[in-house]
Amino acid sequence: MPDTNVRPESMQRINTPELAAAFIDEQIAAIRAQVGEGKVLLALSGGVDSSVVAALLIKAIGNQLTCIHVNHGLMRKGESQQVIDVFGKELGANLIYIDATDRFLDKLAGVSDPEQKRKVIGAEFIRVFDEESAKLNGIGFLAQGTIYPDILESKGLKAHHNVGGLPEDVNFQLVEPVKLLFKDEVRCVGKALGLPDSMVYRQPFPGPGLGVRCVGAITRDRLEAVRESDAILREEFAAAGLQGKVWQYFTVVPDFKSTGITDGKRTFDWPVIIRAVNSVDATSATVEEIPYALLHKITQRITGEVKGVNRVLYDLTPKAPATIEYE
Ligand code: XMP
């Protein structure tokens, strides 16, 4: 028996709408054959991989699929809403939306060590997912957005796909329709399935979300400053035609304040750090040379619109010596 976790050498690279359509037809047949009348559960984060798997399964088995979207409160602005709009409303999926913001932020209160923060987020995610799936009857299958680099990586040590992963000891059979695909192929399939570009070409986003960009112990007000400044940055990059051209860009709010002045009065507020990098596989990265005029505009908007911020900094450090994220 061939190892189903090994990509056959004969497998064609999926890089045209026709090849994507053929892959979709093939997988629909394979999913139906595997699942039969069974019920399937999927943790839908809104990332490219789980979104493509959701869209494929909806096409293949419709309401036999149940998606759970856990909002851990560390999502970017508008992202959970997009999951609800695209999958719940447009595609008519069985979607369970859990706003677990308070649970996560309560657990994270006062936790400043980066690894500890990741552990808390990962453990809480599994707890919420377990609780919700226990309420469902007759689930026999768990769908996952595993892609080929995850399989290659897990032969070493699975780095950090998903927020901490899903429970390992589940009694479900796995459904992993895109496990032999590379990222660009998953995007090609997503496009052919009709998912919006903002989902298909989404920049890499860490499982622990904005949590690792709210440096140190997370507070609600500083997290809001991360979210709002990130939204402005993304909006301005899109308006300047940089969306999809710069590999990863985001804002970070460190846990210190400095003096400023607004309307003749002294302020004592946080800085926002802008990070914009190019990379191929995240092992190294160079800094994007953003035009000064754009940096000025973003600075003006962030200091004018984001509460608690009086300064904007631009990080000029490549990876290495810095990492892409701050934690
Ligand atoms: P670093 O900061 O190590 O990041 O240079 C490399 C890439 O990995 C992403 N990243 C993560 N992704 N969970 C994830 O799913 C994580 O905990 C995590 N930490 C970093 C980061 O955004 C970058 O693309």
Side-chain angles (χ1 to χ4, degrees):
M1 272 273 282
D3 184 348
T4 57
N5 279 346
V6 175
R7 184 177 166 117
E9 269 178 33
S10 58
M11 190 168 152
Q12 231 180 328
R13 193 88 178 188
I14 299 170
N15 53 13
T16 65
E18 294 73 30
L19 289 170
F23 174 85
I24 292 166
D25 287 344
E26 211 175 88
Q27 284 308 314
I28 287 176
I31 292 164
R32 286 182 182 154
Q34 183 189 1
V35 169
E37 303 284 300
K39 288 191 185 170
V40 183
L41 185 64
L42 169 73
L44 176 58
S45 68
V48 185
D49 309 335
S50 65
S51 295
V52 168
V53 168
L56 257 177
L57 281 155
I58 291 165
K59 253 190 142 78
I61 55 166
N63 276 346
Q64 284 165 257
L65 172 74
T66 300
C67 302
I68 299 185
H69 175 69
V70 178
N71 177 359
H72 51 24
L74 306 166
M75 306 287 287
R76 285 179 290 204
K77 190 172 181 176
E79 266 182 334
S80 284
Q81 193 54 48
Q82 188 183 38
V83 170
I84 295 170
D85 290 343
V86 171
F87 292 99
K89 297 188 184 149
E90 282 171 38
L91 298 179
N94 261 333
L95 174 68
I96 299 175
Y97 169 69
I98 309 291
D99 184 356
T101 302
D102 288 341
R103 281 179 67 156
F104 278 85
L105 295 188
D106 288 352
K107 282 260 157 57
L108 284 163
V111 181
S112 58
D113 176 69
E115 285 318 305
Q116 194 54 31
K117 280 167 76 173
R118 278 193 171 76
K119 275 191 195 141
V120 169
I121 295 167
E124 194 58 18
F125 184 85
I126 290 176
R127 217 169 287 133
V128 174
F129 189 79
D130 269 355
E131 281 174 23
E132 289 309 316
S133 56
K135 293 180 195 162
L136 302 170
N137 287 326
I139 301 285
F141 299 85
L142 184 70
Q144 284 195 322
T146 312
I147 66 171
Y148 205 48
D150 298 330
I151 291 181
L152 297 177
E153 252 174 52
S154 65
K155 298 204 164 135
L157 223 192
K158 198 157 184 169
H160 35 41
H161 194 251
N162 281 330
V163 173
L166 290 169
E168 298 279 323
D169 57 346
V170 283
N171 291 321
F172 303 127
Q173 238 195 74
L174 290 182
V175 180
E176 298 178 301
V178 298
K179 71 176 177 182
L180 295 183
L181 302 192
F182 289 100
K183 197 78 175 191
D184 55 301
E185 297 178 288
V186 179
R187 292 193 208 277
C188 188
V189 170
K191 188 91 184 128
L193 284 165
L195 291 175
D197 280 3
S198 57
M199 219 166 222
V200 172
Y201 299 109
R202 202 170 96 132
Q203 44 169 320
F205 187 57
L210 300 180
V212 294
R213 299 173 182 170
C214 187
V215 180
I218 298 170
T219 57
R220 285 172 193 256
D221 49 1
R222 202 153 50 84
L223 181 61
E224 217 35 46
V226 179
R227 195 177 343 257
E228 290 299 324
S229 57
D230 172 76
I232 291 172
L233 184 76
R234 285 192 287 135
E235 215 176 286
E236 290 300 330
F237 265 49
L242 293 175
Q243 185 178 308
K245 296 208 174 108
V246 180
W247 195 73
Q248 196 173 11
Y249 45 95
F250 54 87
T251 60
V252 174
V253 182
D255 192 10
F256 72 83
K257 291 184 171 177
S258 69
T259 309
I261 186 154
T262 302
D263 300 331
K265 284 201 196 93
R266 280 164 74 86
T267 58
F268 194 56
D269 281 326
W270 300 300
V272 161
I273 301 168
I274 297 174
R275 188 102 174 106
V277 297
N278 287 308
S279 177
V280 176
D281 57 7
T283 55
S284 63
T286 55
V287 173
E288 171 73 14
E289 296 201 3
I290 303 179
Y292 255 79
L294 179 58
L295 280 175
H296 283 305
K297 184 159 184 227
I298 293 169
T299 302
Q300 213 169 28
R301 280 199 62 193
I302 290 179
T303 51
E305 296 172 35
V306 183
K307 210 163 161 248
V309 170
N310 64 0
R311 205 177 280 273
V312 174
L313 313 171
Y314 187 40
D315 185 346
L316 288 174
T317 328
K319 175 178 180 176
T323 49
I324 296 175
E325 304 286 349
Y326 272 53
E327 290 189 330

